[in-house]
Amino acid sequence: EYLAHILSSPLDSVRREPDLLTAEHTRLSRQLSSVAFSEYKTFLAAHASCKDIRSNLSALSGDVSALSSSFPALQASLSALAESAQGLSSDRDTLLRVLSQHEQLIDVLDIPQLFDTFIRGGYYEEAMDLQIHVQRLPLRYPNMPIIARVAQEVDASAGLMLTQLIHLLRGNIKLPLCIRVIGYLRRMGAFPEPELRLVFLQQRDVFLSKRLDAVAESLAITPGGSAAGTPSSSMMSVEYLKKYIEVSREHFFDIVTQYKAIFSDSQPRHHGHHAAGPSSTSATPGGLAGHPARPASPQQTHARMHPTIDDVAAVNSILTQTMYYGMSLGRVGIDFRQAVAGVFERAVERIVKTHMAQGIDAYVAWATRNSSGNAHPATGSGGSLATKQPPMALMSYPPLGMLLNAFLASLNQLRLLPCLAVQAPLAEFMASSLRLAASTTADLARHEWPAWSDGHRTEYEDFCRVFCDVVVPFVVHAFEEGVYGGLGLDAHLGGGGGGGRAQRDGARRRGGRVGRCSKRASRGCPRRVRAVGRVGVGGASACGRCGCCCKCCERCSSC
């Protein structure tokens, strides 16, 4: 610019230029001196700063060299940081997704607790639905460990539900609840159908056994089947059997009804005897016949308890209740009445034989202690054998009267339950008992007969005559006519039936005819009375000869 100024200026101006430059130099020198004087501190500071800058630039040059050497390590660290940041970023994304699905995850994690709550609260329908939902989750999410763990916890709790459902069958539950419980077990698929039937029967058997054990405990019956207190053992046994039959009838009928209502006969029926002892002609429902865990049958229970019962009236009462029990079970195909008949027959036979044996033992004991001199002479006539009451002649012979009373007491027991099956053994036992009594009567004079006076011999002969002509025929008549209505005892006594025939001959000698009403002979009399000396059905008097009430048949000679 200065050169362009010089070239463009006139000559005069160029000539004056040195003077102008000198003047300008002088002016600038003065200004510089003035500035240096007024701003000397600034110059000093600038000089110090320049000095520092030069020294710092030297140090900076060394630091830059060191920084340049640390760049590779820094680069490696930055690479590691980038990788770590990438992992953190992935985790952050995962957490963000978890946060967005937080409510759904909580619902899944609460499934085991909710399932357990349903089970403990008895909400089995909801628990089954929840279990089905959980079983589908692993199929939808196969690679999720949390889903697998939830499914495992639910399966573990399902075992508790299975146990509770099985224990429900041990309680006093009705048919609707039984149907629901078996439905739940079927949905769970824990048992195949045959095993499910068996489980049902086993658990109901446990319930029935507990109820029957409670009956025994309430009456202090020992496990062996005898009452705790011996003085009242018979009453305790009767009471136990009555309560046993009542409880067994009520609950066993319910169990069979529940079984038949729940399980259809999809499997073949099995014919056989159930625990309750069905008759050979009845068929049990499918599965019942093969039930291994069964309570003591009525036949076993009766056989265990009957030996402590000494009254036929009690046996008859128990028989009536048992027959009603069997009849009620017959409606569901389990009629056990034929199976228990033998138990009652043996009980009746035992009681009657015991009473007869006691009378014979007392008579034999009397004969052993006394001689024929104790047999007082007869003071009355032989009496009529066709009357209802024993002949008055026995009043003169107390031992024979006691013997006849023993037989009649036994027959009165038998009349309450005259089982045809025990007629033959009782007839044989009675015949042997009468033969024993006759032998004992003969032994009274076997060794002392030669030393007796004629009076003693006459008394003994009268005693034997009363025994043979009164006691024996009356006992035979009471048994064959009063109890069994003509099924004779003569064949067991020997000699062609002397006792019964002697009585009939006596009736003929009294001018009467031995008659038997046509209805009685044909077993057609609807009001038949098999008692001797008792009032007939409907208040009619009973005929001692034919055993019929006089209002419904022809009168025989004794009537």
Side-chain angles (χ1 to χ4, degrees):
E1 292 180 359
Y2 182 73
L3 181 60
H5 172 69
I6 291 297
L7 293 175
S8 62
S9 296
L11 182 60
D12 295 337
S13 297
V14 173
R15 291 177 178 176
R16 290 192 299 269
E17 191 65 26
D19 296 333
L20 292 173
L21 291 174
T22 302
E24 185 66 24
H25 179 266
T26 302
R27 185 182 64 82
L28 290 175
S29 295
R30 290 193 188 102
Q31 289 179 353
L32 181 61
S33 298
S34 175
V35 170
F37 179 78
S38 60
E39 299 293 337
Y40 71 96
K41 292 182 179 181
T42 303
F43 289 109
L44 291 177
H47 177 72
S49 297
C50 289
K51 186 179 180 180
D52 291 337
I53 288 172
R54 284 193 294 269
S55 61
N56 289 335
L57 286 175
S58 300
L60 180 61
S61 177
D63 293 338
V64 168
S65 299
L67 180 61
S68 298
S69 62
S70 65
F71 279 163
L74 177 61
Q75 186 176 2
S77 299
L78 290 176
S79 299
L81 178 61
E83 293 177 358
S84 177
Q86 186 177 1
L88 292 176
S89 177
S90 177
D91 293 341
R92 179 177 177 277
D93 294 338
T94 302
L95 293 176
L96 288 176
R97 288 195 299 269
V98 170
L99 182 60
S100 63
Q101 302 294 330
H102 178 265
E103 295 182 357
Q104 290 81 353
L105 290 174
I106 291 298
D107 292 340
V108 172
L109 294 176
D110 286 343
I111 285 178
Q113 183 178 359
L114 181 61
F115 187 76
D116 188 69
T117 303
F118 283 155
I119 294 175
R120 298 186 184 278
Y123 300 100
Y124 299 109
E125 186 73 28
E126 291 78 1
M128 296 292 294
D129 295 338
L130 185 58
Q131 185 182 19
I132 294 175
H133 173 68
V134 172
Q135 291 174 352
R136 294 173 180 171
L137 289 179
L139 301 178
R140 296 175 58 185
Y141 309 101
N143 298 322
M144 296 186 66
I146 187 171
I147 297 297
R149 182 167 59 87
V150 168
Q152 292 176 358
E153 294 179 2
V154 170
D155 290 339
S157 299
L160 175 62
M161 182 172 66
L162 178 62
T163 302
Q164 287 189 359
L165 289 174
I166 293 176
H167 278 277
L168 278 179
L169 296 175
R170 297 185 180 182
N172 187 13
I173 59 177
K174 300 303 179 183
L175 179 59
L177 183 55
C178 281
I179 294 176
R180 290 201 301 272
V181 170
I182 296 301
Y184 297 147
L185 293 176
R186 282 172 173 164
R187 290 180 61 183
M188 292 182 68
F191 305 102
E193 187 66 16
E195 292 185 11
L196 183 60
R197 297 185 179 207
L198 185 60
V199 168
F200 174 81
L201 292 176
Q202 287 175 339
Q203 302 310 312
R204 300 308 290 159
D205 168 66
V206 172
F207 163 72
L208 181 58
S209 299
K210 287 182 179 179
R211 297 303 296 264
L212 296 179
D213 292 342
V215 172
E217 292 175 0
S218 64
L219 296 175
I221 301 295
T222 60
S226 60
T230 54
S232 59
S233 60
S234 178
M235 296 179 59
M236 295 285 286
S237 298
V238 172
E239 186 68 20
Y240 168 72
L241 286 175
K242 288 183 177 180
K243 289 188 176 181
Y244 174 91
I245 294 172
E246 179 181 358
V247 172
S248 180
R249 177 181 59 83
E250 176 186 357
H251 295 292
F252 191 78
F253 182 82
D254 289 343
I255 291 173
V256 176
T257 303
Q258 292 166 358
Y259 180 89
K260 296 184 70 174
I262 294 173
F263 301 99
S264 62
D265 289 337
S266 56
Q267 294 183 348
R269 276 180 171 266
H270 300 280
H271 296 272
H273 298 294
H274 185 257
S279 64
S280 59
T281 60
S282 63
T284 59
L288 283 174
H291 178 31
R294 296 175 286 194
S297 67
Q299 184 178 5
Q300 297 171 350
T301 303
H302 285 301
R304 189 177 72 249
M305 301 302 297
H306 276 183
T308 62
I309 301 176
D310 55 2
D311 186 10
V312 178
V315 175
N316 188 26
S317 175
I318 296 172
L319 175 62
T320 302
Q321 196 172 0
T322 303
M323 293 300 103
Y324 177 72
Y325 179 18
M327 181 179 65
S328 64
L329 289 184
R331 298 199 298 267
V332 293
I334 306 177
D335 190 350
F336 62 87
R337 287 178 288 182
Q338 294 183 10
V340 299
V343 178
F344 290 92
E345 292 169 356
R346 290 190 293 271
V348 171
E349 180 182 354
R350 175 186 56 81
I351 294 174
V352 174
K353 284 184 177 181
T354 300
H355 283 245
M356 289 184 182
Q358 291 174 354
I360 291 296
D361 292 342
Y363 183 78
V364 171
W366 167 84
T368 303
R369 293 194 307 267
N370 301 278
S371 63
S372 63
N374 298 98
H376 301 286
T379 58
S381 61
S384 174
L385 295 181
T387 58
K388 303 173 187 178
Q389 302 296 331
M392 296 300 295
L394 294 178
M395 297 294 293
S396 301
Y397 302 96
L400 295 180
M402 294 176 62
L403 178 62
L404 182 59
N405 284 339
F407 276 103
L408 293 183
S410 302
L411 295 179
N412 280 333
Q413 293 274 347
L414 181 60
R415 284 170 52 215
L416 299 174
L417 197 57
C419 308
L420 291 178
V422 302
Q423 188 270 339
L426 285 180
E428 179 64 30
F429 183 81
M430 184 180 296
S432 63
S433 299
L434 290 175
R435 285 194 293 267
L436 177 60
S439 175
T440 303
T441 304
D443 289 341
L444 290 174
R446 177 169 298 176
H447 302 291
E448 301 180 5
W449 179 264
W452 280 356
S453 63
D454 293 340
H456 281 181
R457 292 179 179 180
T458 301
E459 293 176 0
Y460 178 74
E461 290 174 354
D462 293 339
F463 185 88
C464 294
R465 187 178 299 107
V466 171
F467 176 79
C468 295
D469 296 340
V470 178
V471 175
V472 174
F474 198 91
V475 171
V476 173
H477 171 73
F479 180 79
E480 67 179 6
E481 296 290 345
V483 178
Y484 286 103
L487 300 177
L489 180 64
D490 299 339
H492 297 280
L493 289 174
R501 184 161 52 250
Q503 183 181 13
R504 292 190 288 273
D505 292 343
R508 292 191 181 95
R509 286 195 299 270
R510 288 191 294 273
R513 64 182 180 86
V514 180
R516 184 181 303 276
C517 68
S518 59
K519 294 182 180 179
R520 182 69 177 92
S522 63
R523 295 294 190 269
C525 176
R527 307 174 70 184
R528 182 168 66 252
V529 180
R530 289 186 286 182
V532 178
R534 289 291 180 94
V535 177
V537 179
S541 60
C543 171
R545 288 286 296 150
C546 67
C548 287
C549 58
C550 298
K551 287 185 177 182
C552 65
C553 63
E554 299 175 1
R555 294 191 178 186
C556 66
S557 60
S558 299
C559 294

Coordinates of all heavy atoms in Angstrom, one line a residue, residues 438-483:
A438 N -83.2 -140.9 82.1 CA -83.8 -142.2 82.4 C -82.7 -143.1 83.1 O -83.0 -143.9 84.0 CB -84.3 -142.8 81.1
S439 N -81.5 -143.1 82.5 CA -80.4 -143.9 83.1 C -80.1 -143.4 84.5 O -79.9 -144.3 85.4 CB -79.2 -143.7 82.2 OG -78.1 -144.4 82.8
T440 N -80.1 -142.1 84.7 CA -79.9 -141.6 86.1 C -81.0 -142.1 87.0 O -80.7 -142.5 88.2 CB -79.8 -140.1 86.1 OG1 -78.8 -139.7 85.2 CG2 -79.5 -139.6 87.5
T441 N -82.3 -142.1 86.5 CA -83.4 -142.5 87.4 C -83.2 -144.0 87.7 O -83.5 -144.5 88.8 CB -84.7 -142.3 86.6 OG1 -84.8 -140.9 86.3 CG2 -85.9 -142.7 87.5
A442 N -82.8 -144.8 86.7 CA -82.6 -146.2 86.9 C -81.5 -146.5 87.9 O -81.5 -147.5 88.7 CB -82.3 -147.0 85.6
D443 N -80.5 -145.6 87.9 CA -79.3 -145.8 88.8 C -79.7 -145.6 90.3 O -79.0 -146.0 91.2 CB -78.2 -144.9 88.5 CG -77.5 -145.3 87.2 OD1 -77.7 -146.5 86.8 OD2 -76.9 -144.4 86.5
L444 N -80.9 -144.9 90.5 CA -81.3 -144.7 91.9 C -81.5 -146.0 92.7 O -81.3 -146.0 93.9 CB -82.6 -143.8 91.9 CG -82.5 -142.4 91.5 CD1 -83.8 -141.7 91.4 CD2 -81.6 -141.6 92.4
A445 N -81.9 -147.0 92.0 CA -82.2 -148.3 92.7 C -81.4 -149.4 92.2 O -81.7 -150.6 92.6 CB -83.7 -148.6 92.6
R446 N -80.4 -149.2 91.4 CA -79.7 -150.3 90.9 C -79.0 -151.1 91.9 O -78.9 -152.4 91.8 CB -78.7 -149.8 89.9 CG -77.8 -150.8 89.2 CD -77.0 -150.3 88.1 NE -77.9 -149.8 87.0 CZ -77.5 -149.2 85.9 NH1 -76.3 -149.0 85.7 NH2 -78.4 -148.8 85.0
H447 N -78.4 -150.5 92.9 CA -77.6 -151.2 94.0 C -78.4 -151.5 95.2 O -78.1 -152.4 96.0 CB -76.4 -150.4 94.3 CG -75.5 -150.2 93.1 ND1 -74.8 -151.2 92.4 CD2 -75.2 -149.1 92.4 CE1 -74.1 -150.7 91.4 NE2 -74.3 -149.4 91.4
E448 N -79.5 -150.7 95.5 CA -80.2 -150.8 96.8 C -81.6 -151.5 96.6 O -82.3 -151.6 97.6 CB -80.3 -149.4 97.4 CG -79.0 -148.7 97.6 CD -79.2 -147.4 98.2 OE1 -80.3 -147.0 98.6 OE2 -78.2 -146.7 98.4
W449 N -81.9 -151.9 95.4 CA -83.3 -152.4 95.2 C -83.5 -153.6 96.1 O -84.6 -153.7 96.7 CB -83.4 -152.8 93.8 CG -84.8 -153.4 93.4 CD1 -85.1 -154.8 93.4 CD2 -86.0 -152.8 93.2 NE1 -86.4 -155.0 93.1 CE2 -87.0 -153.7 93.0 CE3 -86.3 -151.4 93.2 CZ2 -88.3 -153.4 92.7 CZ3 -87.6 -151.1 92.9 CH2 -88.6 -152.1 92.7
P450 N -82.6 -154.6 96.3 CA -83.0 -155.7 97.2 C -83.2 -155.3 98.6 O -84.0 -156.0 99.3 CB -81.7 -156.6 97.0 CG -81.1 -156.3 95.7 CD -81.3 -154.8 95.6
A451 N -82.6 -154.3 99.1 CA -82.7 -153.9 100.5 C -83.9 -153.0 100.7 O -84.2 -152.7 101.9 CB -81.5 -153.2 100.9
W452 N -84.6 -152.6 99.7 CA -85.7 -151.7 99.9 C -87.0 -152.5 100.4 O -87.2 -153.6 100.0 CB -86.1 -151.0 98.6 CG -85.1 -149.8 98.3 CD1 -84.2 -149.3 99.1 CD2 -85.2 -149.0 97.2 NE1 -83.5 -148.3 98.6 CE2 -84.1 -148.1 97.3 CE3 -85.9 -149.0 96.0 CZ2 -83.8 -147.1 96.4 CZ3 -85.6 -148.1 95.0 CH2 -84.6 -147.1 95.2
S453 N -87.8 -151.8 101.1 CA -89.1 -152.3 101.5 C -90.1 -152.2 100.3 O -89.8 -151.5 99.3 CB -89.6 -151.6 102.7 OG -89.9 -150.2 102.4
D454 N -91.2 -152.9 100.4 CA -92.2 -152.8 99.4 C -92.7 -151.4 99.2 O -93.0 -150.9 98.1 CB -93.4 -153.7 99.7 CG -93.0 -155.2 99.7 OD1 -91.9 -155.5 99.1 OD2 -93.7 -156.0 100.3
G455 N -92.8 -150.6 100.3 CA -93.3 -149.2 100.2 C -92.3 -148.4 99.4 O -92.7 -147.6 98.5
H456 N -91.0 -148.6 99.6 CA -90.0 -147.8 98.9 C -90.0 -148.2 97.4 O -89.9 -147.4 96.5 CB -88.6 -148.0 99.5 CG -88.4 -147.2 100.7 ND1 -87.2 -147.3 101.4 CD2 -89.1 -146.4 101.4 CE1 -87.2 -146.5 102.4 NE2 -88.4 -145.9 102.4
R457 N -90.2 -149.5 97.2 CA -90.2 -150.0 95.8 C -91.4 -149.4 95.1 O -91.3 -149.0 93.9 CB -90.3 -151.5 95.7 CG -89.0 -152.1 96.2 CD -89.1 -153.6 96.1 NE -87.8 -154.3 96.6 CZ -87.6 -155.6 96.6 NH1 -88.6 -156.4 96.3 NH2 -86.5 -156.1 97.0
T458 N -92.6 -149.3 95.8 CA -93.8 -148.8 95.2 C -93.6 -147.3 94.8 O -94.0 -146.8 93.8 CB -95.0 -148.9 96.1 OG1 -95.2 -150.3 96.3 CG2 -96.3 -148.4 95.4
E459 N -93.0 -146.6 95.8 CA -92.7 -145.1 95.5 C -91.8 -145.0 94.3 O -92.0 -144.1 93.5 CB -92.1 -144.5 96.8 CG -93.0 -144.4 98.0 CD -92.3 -143.9 99.2 OE1 -91.1 -143.6 99.1 OE2 -92.9 -143.8 100.2
Y460 N -90.7 -145.8 94.3 CA -89.8 -145.7 93.1 C -90.5 -146.0 91.8 O -90.3 -145.4 90.8 CB -88.6 -146.6 93.4 CG -87.6 -146.6 92.2 CD1 -86.8 -145.6 92.0 CD2 -87.6 -147.7 91.4 CE1 -85.9 -145.6 91.0 CE2 -86.7 -147.7 90.3 CZ -85.8 -146.6 90.1 OH -84.9 -146.6 89.1
E461 N -91.3 -147.1 91.8 CA -92.1 -147.4 90.6 C -93.0 -146.3 90.2 O -93.1 -146.0 89.0 CB -92.9 -148.7 90.8 CG -92.0 -150.0 91.0 CD -92.8 -151.2 91.3 OE1 -94.0 -151.0 91.6 OE2 -92.2 -152.3 91.3
D462 N -93.7 -145.7 91.1 CA -94.5 -144.5 90.8 C -93.7 -143.4 90.2 O -94.1 -142.7 89.3 CB -95.3 -144.0 92.0 CG -96.3 -145.1 92.5 OD1 -96.7 -145.9 91.6 OD2 -96.7 -145.0 93.7
F463 N -92.5 -143.2 90.8 CA -91.6 -142.1 90.3 C -91.2 -142.4 88.9 O -91.3 -141.5 88.0 CB -90.4 -142.0 91.2 CG -89.4 -140.9 90.9 CD1 -89.6 -139.7 91.5 CD2 -88.4 -141.1 90.0 CE1 -88.7 -138.6 91.2 CE2 -87.5 -140.1 89.8 CZ -87.7 -138.8 90.3
C464 N -90.8 -143.6 88.6 CA -90.4 -144.0 87.2 C -91.6 -143.9 86.3 O -91.4 -143.5 85.1 CB -89.8 -145.4 87.3 SG -88.3 -145.6 88.2
R465 N -92.8 -144.3 86.8 CA -94.0 -144.3 85.9 C -94.3 -142.8 85.5 O -94.6 -142.6 84.4 CB -95.1 -144.9 86.6 CG -96.4 -145.1 85.7 CD -97.5 -145.8 86.5 NE -97.1 -147.1 86.9 CZ -96.9 -147.5 88.1 NH1 -97.0 -146.6 89.1 NH2 -96.5 -148.7 88.4
V466 N -94.2 -141.9 86.5 CA -94.5 -140.5 86.2 C -93.4 -140.0 85.2 O -93.8 -139.3 84.3 CB -94.5 -139.7 87.5 CG1 -94.5 -138.2 87.2 CG2 -95.7 -140.1 88.3
F467 N -92.2 -140.4 85.4 CA -91.2 -140.0 84.4 C -91.4 -140.5 83.0 O -91.3 -139.7 82.1 CB -89.8 -140.5 84.9 CG -88.7 -140.1 84.0 CD1 -88.1 -138.9 83.9 CD2 -88.2 -141.1 83.1 CE1 -87.1 -138.6 83.0 CE2 -87.2 -140.8 82.2 CZ -86.6 -139.6 82.2
C468 N -91.8 -141.8 82.9 CA -92.0 -142.4 81.6 C -93.3 -142.0 81.0 O -93.4 -141.8 79.7 CB -91.9 -143.9 81.7 SG -90.2 -144.5 82.2
D469 N -94.4 -141.9 81.8 CA -95.7 -141.7 81.2 C -96.1 -140.2 81.2 O -97.1 -139.9 80.5 CB -96.7 -142.5 82.0 CG -96.5 -144.0 81.9 OD1 -95.8 -144.4 80.9 OD2 -97.0 -144.7 82.7
V470 N -95.4 -139.4 82.0 CA -95.8 -138.0 82.1 C -94.7 -137.1 81.5 O -95.0 -136.3 80.6 CB -96.2 -137.6 83.5 CG1 -96.5 -136.1 83.6 CG2 -97.3 -138.4 84.0
V471 N -93.5 -137.2 82.1 CA -92.5 -136.2 81.7 C -92.0 -136.4 80.3 O -92.1 -135.5 79.5 CB -91.3 -136.3 82.7 CG1 -90.1 -135.4 82.3 CG2 -91.7 -136.0 84.1
V472 N -91.7 -137.6 79.9 CA -91.2 -137.9 78.6 C -92.2 -137.6 77.5 O -91.9 -136.8 76.6 CB -90.6 -139.3 78.5 CG1 -90.2 -139.6 77.0 CG2 -89.4 -139.5 79.4
P473 N -93.4 -138.1 77.6 CA -94.4 -137.7 76.6 C -94.7 -136.2 76.5 O -94.9 -135.7 75.4 CB -95.7 -138.5 77.0 CG -95.2 -139.6 77.8 CD -94.0 -139.1 78.6
F474 N -94.8 -135.6 77.7 CA -95.1 -134.1 77.6 C -93.9 -133.4 77.0 O -94.2 -132.4 76.2 CB -95.3 -133.6 79.1 CG -96.0 -132.3 79.1 CD1 -97.4 -132.3 79.2 CD2 -95.3 -131.1 79.0 CE1 -98.0 -131.0 79.2 CE2 -95.9 -129.9 79.0 CZ -97.3 -129.9 79.2
V475 N -92.7 -133.8 77.2 CA -91.5 -133.1 76.6 C -91.6 -133.3 75.1 O -91.4 -132.4 74.3 CB -90.2 -133.5 77.2 CG1 -89.0 -133.0 76.4 CG2 -90.1 -133.0 78.6
V476 N -91.9 -134.6 74.7 CA -91.9 -134.9 73.3 C -93.0 -134.2 72.6 O -92.9 -133.6 71.5 CB -92.1 -136.4 73.1 CG1 -92.3 -136.8 71.6 CG2 -90.9 -137.2 73.6
H477 N -94.2 -134.1 73.2 CA -95.3 -133.4 72.7 C -95.0 -131.9 72.6 O -95.4 -131.3 71.5 CB -96.6 -133.6 73.6 CG -97.7 -132.7 73.2 ND1 -98.5 -132.9 72.0 CD2 -98.2 -131.6 73.8 CE1 -99.4 -132.0 72.0 NE2 -99.3 -131.2 73.0
A478 N -94.4 -131.4 73.6 CA -94.1 -129.9 73.5 C -93.1 -129.6 72.4 O -93.2 -128.6 71.8 CB -93.5 -129.5 74.9
F479 N -92.2 -130.5 72.2 CA -91.2 -130.3 71.1 C -91.8 -130.5 69.7 O -91.7 -129.6 68.9 CB -90.0 -131.2 71.3 CG -88.9 -131.0 70.3 CD1 -88.0 -130.0 70.4 CD2 -88.8 -131.9 69.2 CE1 -87.0 -129.8 69.4 CE2 -87.8 -131.7 68.3 CZ -86.9 -130.7 68.4
E480 N -92.5 -131.6 69.5 CA -92.9 -131.9 68.2 C -94.2 -131.2 67.8 O -94.4 -130.9 66.6 CB -93.1 -133.4 68.0 CG -94.2 -134.0 68.8 CD -94.4 -135.5 68.5 OE1 -93.5 -136.1 67.9 OE2 -95.4 -136.1 69.0
E481 N -95.1 -130.9 68.7 CA -96.3 -130.2 68.4 C -96.2 -128.7 68.7 O -96.6 -127.9 67.9 CB -97.5 -130.8 69.2 CG -97.8 -132.3 68.8 CD -98.3 -132.4 67.4 OE1 -98.7 -131.4 66.8 OE2 -98.3 -133.5 66.9
G482 N -95.7 -128.4 69.9 CA -95.7 -127.0 70.3 C -94.7 -126.1 69.5 O -94.9 -125.0 69.3
V483 N -93.5 -126.8 69.2 CA -92.5 -126.0 68.5 C -92.5 -126.2 67.0 O -92.5 -125.3 66.2 CB -91.1 -126.3 69.2 CG1 -90.0 -125.6 68.5 CG2 -91.1 -126.0 70.7

